[in-house]
Amino acid sequence: QVQLAESGGGLVQPGGSLRLSCAASGSIFSINAMGWYRQAPGKQRELVAAVTRGGSTKYADSVKGRFTISRDNAKNTVYLQMNSLKPEDTAVYYCNVDLIGPELVRGDYWGQGTQVTVSS
């Protein structure tokens, strides 16, 4: 069917950087929007950033100017470059992809999540 493989999380000091990647594979006809969400302990999952197939982006106010989302349509991959990380960025980050997959059915798919911890 469809699989999303995330990578790039880890432990980083405040002010540091990380780059997350999410590659979609399987029975994919086309991909629409791709994005990243995060969920901190005791909080609801929130949108961090999203990018359309055409390259239009949107960001949560809390990450504007620090995070950059990009995608490689040839590789069905979305990236999140995170700079100037703060302790409040600590969360599990989830990749989300809106795509047309098996049997040409549109679906919303989630990655397994990758932990990002910002701490000294």
Side-chain angles (χ1 to χ4, degrees):
Q1 301 300 321
V2 175
Q3 298 83 37
L4 300 183
E6 299 178 13
S7 61
L11 173 65
V12 65
Q13 292 186 341
S17 298
L18 284 174
R19 188 190 194 211
L20 305 183
S21 299
C22 173
S25 62
S27 302
I28 298 171
F29 179 75
S30 66
I31 296 178
N32 302 314
M34 306 180 83
W36 290 93
Y37 288 71
R38 67 186 180 186
Q39 187 166 19
K43 294 187 177 181
Q44 291 188 335
R45 190 174 296 188
E46 63 174 355
L47 174 68
V48 176
V51 58
T52 67
R53 183 171 182 83
S56 297
T57 59
K58 64 178 177 180
Y59 295 91
D61 288 343
S62 60
V63 308
K64 285 180 180 177
R66 301 188 297 122
F67 291 10
T68 302
I69 190 169
S70 62
R71 62 189 283 173
D72 184 332
N73 290 331
K75 295 181 179 180
N76 290 341
T77 299
V78 61
Y79 306 95
L80 185 68
Q81 178 66 43
M82 304 185 293
N83 298 329
S84 302
L85 282 161
K86 304 176 180 179
E88 51 263 44
D89 294 318
T90 296
V92 177
Y93 284 69
Y94 296 91
C95 171
N96 174 262
V97 178
D98 173 17
L99 59 82
I100 298 176
E103 300 182 356
L104 299 182
V105 175
R106 185 173 181 174
D108 196 39
Y109 292 82
W110 292 89
Q112 78 281 6
T114 185
Q115 177 70 46
V116 171
T117 302
V118 184
S119 175
S120 55

